[in-house]
Amino acid sequence: MNKINIKFVLNLLSKNEKIGKSDAIEIISFVTRIEYSEVLFSLDNELSRKHFKQIIKISKSVAKGKPLAYILGYKIFRGHKIIVNKNTLIPRMETEQMIDFVNDFIKSNNVKMDILDLCSGSGCIGISVALENNKNINKIVFSDVSKKALAVTKTNIVRNKLSNKTEIVKSNFLDSLIANKNKFNILLCNPPYIDFNDKDVDPTTLKFEPKLALYAEDNGLFFYKKAIANIDVIMKTEEKTLLVFEIGWKQKKHLEMFLQKELGLKYNWKFEKDYFNNWRYLIIKN
Ligand SMILES: C[S@@+](CC[C@H](N)C(=O)[O-])C[C@H]1O[C@@H](n2cnc3c(N)ncnc32)[C@H](O)[C@@H]1O
């Protein structure tokens, strides 16, 4: 076999429209252990036969539709390596933006915060907040109903040496947290929010990702309504509080009606758009 370099492999993979450029770079980085950011500066690097075969094998699985994150066992989220498996949703780019709202809030309130990552899945939200705000955090609680997802959260906590300021609570949404009388300054939640009747769900998501992470009752609004109805119970309302929810892009109007009825003027709330110009976040403050 002739000598094969990274440039040749990138060209080869780019011929398959099912493999995006960032996936191709990620595959090469994974196999060769060259940092992702260094791959495009290493185009002349020669690949061993073994590495070339590995790259082709992974690429074939991606081309068949399997999400790359499940093949590699991780997803890069805000630059942090988050371990995932079939029991956790693959962290999404839209979710990354949630952490910006939190970081701003933490910086503008110079006190140690108690934080809840509710419906934590892989733990990508809470792990990022912990890594990016080391000093201003008292404790982060990760909570999910899925034992298998919480095992992945635990792996991510341990890998990032965050055990001393984190706790894991298995809970059916807020039930155990309320029963334990836990209260927080910040609540972050990307709950399941797809309506059971929604026919537009991405087929790859449906085939590979856990259903438990996707669907919610009440047209997908069940978890937002439950959290909003319990703000006074779960939040430290005598201190500064922040709640950030990721929402489905069609849900703003329905949530607005519910917020007006349920919260009135008691809390400030607003919606923010994601980078793709979709209404994606609900932010509530006291
Ligand atoms: C959309 S995923 C979000 C995962 C992660 N926070 C993220 O942003 O990638 C929703 C998560 O909610 C969890 N979940 C589903 N029903 C739940 C319930 N009744 N109580 C607590 N967690 C639940 C799922 O196991 C899943 O991990």
Side-chain angles (χ1 to χ4, degrees), residues 89-92 95 117 119-122 124-125 143-146 149 171-173 190-192 212-213 223:
L89 190 88
I90 299 169
R92 301 294 205 268
T95 310
D117 180 351
C119 300
S120 56
S122 62
C124 58
I125 298 173
S143 184
D144 201 289
V145 77
S146 159
S171 177
N172 181 10
F173 205 53
N190 176 19
L212 186 63
F223 292 106

Side-chain angles (χ1 to χ4, degrees), residues 13 38-39 52 54-55 63 96 99 118 125 132 144-145 148 154 164 172 177 188 197 223 231 235 286:
L13 300 189
E38 288 298 313
V39 170
F52 179 65
Q54 262 178 291
I55 290 169
E96 292 190 321
I99 286 90
L118 184 60
I125 298 173
E132 294 174 33
D144 201 289
V145 77
K148 288 179 178 170
K154 175 95 193 274
N164 61 343
N172 181 10
L177 298 155
L188 306 165
N197 297 314
F223 292 106
I231 292 186
M235 302 304 290
N286 63 353

Side-chain angles (χ1 to χ4, degrees), residues 160-254:
N160 287 290
K161 301 188 172 55
L162 293 168
S163 303
N164 61 343
K165 55 174 65 182
T166 56
E167 197 182 305
I168 290 178
V169 177
K170 182 178 176 306
S171 177
N172 181 10
F173 205 53
L174 290 170
D175 292 357
S176 307
L177 298 155
I178 291 176
N180 296 346
K181 297 195 168 33
N182 292 128
K183 282 192 173 248
F184 302 92
N185 304 95
I186 301 177
L187 181 153
L188 306 165
C189 185
N190 176 19
Y193 58 68
I194 300 176
D195 177 357
F196 282 98
N197 297 314
D198 192 337
K199 299 278 177 276
D200 293 332
V201 187
D202 171 39
T204 307
T205 300
L206 271 186
K207 183 166 176 199
F208 291 99
E209 303 201 64
K211 302 281 175 294
L212 186 63
L214 303 178
Y215 292 101
E217 302 282 350
D218 196 359
N219 303 316
L221 301 176
F222 175 81
F223 292 106
Y224 306 116
K225 289 186 177 177
K226 195 153 190 192
I228 290 163
N230 279 292
I231 292 186
D232 289 342
V233 184
I234 198 74
M235 302 304 290
K236 294 187 175 184
T237 46
E238 70 288 358
E239 298 173 21
K240 288 272 183 203
T241 58
L242 169 77
L243 299 92
V244 184
F245 298 92
E246 182 173 317
I247 64 167
W249 62 277
K250 295 181 225 165
Q251 290 174 325
K252 175 175 178 273
K253 201 174 71 191
H254 304 285

Side-chain angles (χ1 to χ4, degrees), residues 97-143:
Q97 218 176 317
M98 280 177 79
I99 286 90
D100 290 333
F101 305 121
V102 187
N103 290 356
D104 289 347
F105 180 79
I106 293 178
K107 276 179 199 108
S108 62
N109 291 283
N110 204 11
V111 287
K112 295 227 170 201
M113 301 276 171
D114 285 307
I115 301 172
L116 172 61
D117 180 351
L118 184 60
C119 300
S120 56
S122 62
C124 58
I125 298 173
I127 298 281
S128 302
V129 171
L131 293 174
E132 294 174 33
N133 296 279
N134 192 24
K135 284 196 205 103
N136 290 324
I137 286 168
N138 186 38
K139 192 167 75 181
I140 303 194
V141 173
F142 294 82
S143 184

